[in-house]
């Protein structure tokens, strides 16, 4: 039986139709702005998010870090949620690449309250680092794929504007929120100065993210991308996968959400497994199992040997992510393996 890979939605392989689009892509040197497929992808991304301009970058991390560099100066402070991708999984790059410090504010499953953002802004005083930027994450990864409601975003935006700060969205999984809520990508993006989103997660492209903003900021981001070593050449081959993903893979994210919810209901029936089915908003399920003689690593290895891959997010705490390369039947098969590995613990 083939392995069911639930570690992340980053693991998808390009479909035959996507590979065909990549093979047929027209290309040129993108550092000269001459790659027609990249230009097309950037125009599509800007239009979808209702912004003037967009930039194709190799990774989500690079998209976020370019935005941080754009909005800050060394010594500034950036407000982020304390379990955000920026703080947990970007290798400390905001401090090493932009010289900023991150102010980590606790949220509710990754979502900051407007009052907490306001309280974290430093008074203008020579002792304090100047707060210049607030970053939100949609959907929130460690929050379990949780969605920032538009109304909360608007309230945070009021705080941010009242203090003259910039606002960036790490929208790695923005389209999961779009499909789930019916709110358009443009409505979600409107309050933000910059938005990054990933083509290489649920949308199924092998590589790539976009950073979207007004034309003047994108021009600066384009220069910064070169500075960060991300200026690419005949990269239309990869941009073609992104174009294909935006044209064909957005509505199908609903299937991933359905599969995640279904898997959560199956997990709920396994003795000892603690899962909050109501908390499953998009394509992720977080769950815990009781402490036992088996370490987290041993449990992951047990699942792997039985044919399911997943990631740990803490001690006996796990994350599974659904995507284009797993089916409803895989959910049943994975849950049977989880039952075998985890129910022995309770
Ligand atoms: N997330 C990955 C890992 O890095 C944890 C995953 O498997 O979920 N923002 C968010 C919210 C993300 O979840 C990720 C990737 C990124 C940015 C970075 O994207 P890449 O991997 O393209 O640099």
């Amino acid at each position: 039986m083939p392995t069911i890979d639930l570690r992340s939605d980053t693991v998808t392989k390009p479909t035959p139709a996507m590979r065909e689009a990549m093979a047929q892509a027209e290309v040129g040197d993108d550092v000269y702005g001459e790659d027609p497929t990249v230009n097309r992808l950037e125009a599509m991304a800007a239009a979808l998010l209702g912004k003037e301009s967009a930039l194709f970058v190799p990774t989500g991390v690079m998209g976020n870090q370019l935005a941080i560099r754009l909005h800050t100066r060394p010594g500034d402070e950036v407000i982020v949620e304390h379990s955000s991708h920026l703080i947990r999984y970007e290798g400390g790059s905001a401090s090493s690449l932009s010289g900023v410090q991150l102010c980590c504010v606790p949220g509710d499953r990754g979502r900051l309250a407007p009052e907490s953002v306001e309280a974290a802004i430093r008074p203008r005083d020579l002792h304090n680092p100047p707060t210049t930027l607030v970053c939100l994450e949609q959907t929130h990864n460690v929050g379990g794929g949780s969605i920032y409601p538009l109304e909360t975003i608007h309230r945070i935006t009021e705080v941010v504007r009242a203090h003259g700060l910039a606002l960036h969205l790490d929208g790695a999984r923005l389209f999961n929120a779009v499909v789930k809520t019916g709110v358009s990508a443009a409505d979600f993006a409107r309050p933000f100065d910059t938005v990054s989103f990933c083509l290489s997660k649920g949308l199924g492209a092998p590589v790539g993210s976009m950073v979207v903003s007004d034309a003047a900021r994108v021009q600066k981001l384009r220069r910064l991308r070169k500075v960060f070593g991300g200026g690419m050449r005949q990269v239309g081959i990869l941009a073609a996968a992104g174009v294909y993903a935006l044209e064909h893979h957005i509505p199908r994210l609903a299937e991933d959400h359905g599969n995640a919810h279904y898997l959560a209901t199956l997990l709920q029936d396994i003795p000892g497994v603690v899962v909050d089915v109501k908390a499953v908003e998009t394509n992720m399920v977080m769950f815990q199992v009781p402490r036992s003689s088996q370490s987290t690593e041993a449990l992951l290895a047990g699942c792997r040997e039985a044919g399911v891959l997943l990631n740990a997010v803490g001690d006996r705490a796990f994350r599974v992510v659904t995507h284009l390369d797993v089916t409803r039947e895989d959910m049943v098969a994975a849950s049977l393996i989880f039952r075998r590995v985890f129910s022995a613990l309770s």
Side-chain angles (χ1 to χ4, degrees):
M1 205 183 75
T3 299
I4 302 166
D5 194 344
L6 300 174
R7 286 173 300 172
S8 183
D9 47 9
T10 59
V11 301
T12 57
K13 308 231 168 79
T15 61
M18 184 181 273
R19 281 179 189 267
E20 183 57 27
M22 295 169 76
Q24 299 302 329
E26 271 189 80
V27 298
D29 191 327
D30 182 48
V31 171
Y32 292 101
E34 289 172 3
D35 189 303
T37 313
V38 173
N39 293 343
R40 180 160 168 233
L41 174 64
E42 292 181 344
M44 276 174 84
L48 259 174
L49 270 70
K51 301 275 191 201
E52 281 175 0
S53 206
L55 183 71
F56 184 44
V57 292
T59 65
V61 170
M62 187 182 281
N64 286 335
Q65 295 307 323
L66 290 178
I68 290 176
R69 174 65 84 85
L70 174 80
H71 294 301
T72 62
R73 298 175 62 182
D76 285 0
E77 190 165 65
V78 178
I79 295 175
V80 300
E81 198 275 336
H82 78 148
S83 63
S84 61
H85 195 273
L86 282 168
I87 190 85
R88 294 263 299 245
Y89 301 120
E90 303 201 3
S93 46
S95 57
S96 59
L97 299 177
S98 294
V100 294
Q101 68 183 33
L102 301 180
C103 171
C104 302
V105 180
D108 164 30
R109 296 182 54 241
R111 291 161 299 206
L112 292 171
E115 300 72 28
S116 317
V117 174
E118 180 126 54
I121 298 171
R122 307 273 182 189
R124 294 282 165 180
D125 176 292
L126 65 85
H127 296 87
N128 296 341
T131 308
T132 47
L133 171 66
V134 176
C135 298
L136 309 183
E137 189 174 314
Q138 180 81 298
T139 62
H140 201 284
N141 184 340
V142 174
S146 56
I147 297 175
Y148 252 108
L150 194 54
E151 204 238 320
T152 314
I153 294 174
H154 285 155
R155 289 180 49 221
I156 292 174
T157 309
E158 280 169 28
V159 172
V160 164
R161 297 301 169 217
H163 290 266
L165 313 181
L167 188 60
H168 170 69
L169 180 65
D170 173 357
R173 297 183 178 84
L174 174 64
F175 285 96
N176 292 85
V178 166
V179 166
K180 182 58 189 268
T181 58
V183 173
S184 72
D187 282 345
F188 270 133
R190 190 164 296 112
F192 294 92
D193 298 302
T194 46
V195 178
S196 56
F197 74 88
C198 294
L199 300 161
S200 61
K201 304 214 159 43
L203 296 179
V207 174
S209 290
M210 308 302 300
V211 195
V212 184
S213 187
D214 59 62
R217 285 197 178 98
V218 170
Q219 209 180 339
K220 290 186 184 151
L221 288 164
R222 198 174 288 281
R223 199 192 84 79
L224 288 173
R225 182 185 65 176
K226 190 74 183 137
V227 172
F228 280 33
M232 299 174 285
R233 302 293 180 173
Q234 287 71 22
V235 74
I237 291 197
L238 298 178
V243 169
Y244 187 91
L246 292 179
E247 282 177 344
H248 299 279
H249 287 169
I250 296 175
R252 66 147 308 284
L253 291 170
E255 264 175 60
D256 300 343
H257 302 165
N259 283 340
H261 187 269
Y262 180 56
L263 181 57
T265 61
L266 299 175
L267 277 163
Q268 186 177 231
D269 288 339
I270 301 175
V273 170
V274 177
V275 60
D276 180 358
V277 178
K278 288 190 303 304
V280 179
E281 296 181 55
T282 54
N283 68 332
M284 292 186 188
V285 185
M286 302 297 206
F287 66 94
Q288 271 133 40
V289 301
R291 282 182 155 271
S292 68
S293 56
Q294 295 230 50
S295 66
T296 305
E297 292 67 34
L299 292 168
L300 287 173
C303 290
R304 184 169 62 240
E305 275 152 33
V308 182
L309 299 178
L310 73 168
N311 273 331
V313 286
D315 185 21
R316 276 84 169 179
F318 300 95
R319 177 188 84 160
V320 295
V321 188
T322 55
H323 52 76
L324 171 93
D325 288 354
V326 292
T327 60
R328 187 54 65 126
E329 293 71 50
D330 290 332
M331 301 300 108
V332 177
S335 76
L336 292 174
I337 289 171
F338 291 147
R339 181 175 289 274
R340 222 180 318 138
V341 175
F342 295 129
S343 59
L345 304 174
S346 62

